Amino acid sequence: MTKDAKETRKLKRGVALLSGERQPKTKYDFECLDLVAQRYGMDREDVISFALFMSSMNAAYDDNDDNDD
């Protein structure tokens, strides 16, 4: 895999983490978020906080969905 392909893969994972699709847990997840922050000139802590916020919001929404029966 080329360097560009690896970077693209990390960026895609970082965006998925920011959308709340998954919660950042691994070192690789945080590396992906770091890359997103660097690429788009954002603060690292803000990016990580936002990813955690979005994943918790998705988890809360999913929990609410289960109770609507």
Side-chain angles (χ1 to χ4, degrees), residues 48-62:
I48 291 171
S49 295
F50 187 76
L52 291 169
F53 169 75
M54 288 303 293
S55 66
S56 67
M57 292 301 290
N58 274 354
Y61 180 77
D62 288 344

Side-chain angles (χ1 to χ4, degrees), residues 1-67:
M1 188 178 289
T2 66
K3 183 179 178 185
D4 287 339
K6 287 181 183 180
E7 187 172 292
T8 300
R9 194 172 190 191
K10 278 187 168 184
L11 285 171
K12 285 182 180 180
R13 178 122 175 205
V15 169
L17 291 164
L18 284 174
S19 70
E21 289 179 23
R22 43 181 293 129
Q23 184 177 17
K25 295 179 183 176
T26 66
K27 181 181 175 186
Y28 183 76
D29 289 341
F30 289 99
E31 288 174 3
C32 294
L33 291 172
D34 284 342
L35 183 60
V36 170
Q38 289 173 7
R39 174 63 67 92
Y40 297 105
M42 302 162 73
D43 184 62
R44 178 184 185 271
E45 286 78 21
D46 289 345
V47 170
I48 291 171
S49 295
F50 187 76
L52 291 169
F53 169 75
M54 288 303 293
S55 66
S56 67
M57 292 301 290
N58 274 354
Y61 180 77
D62 288 344
D63 288 345
N64 256 352
D65 253 1
D66 294 340
N67 297 330

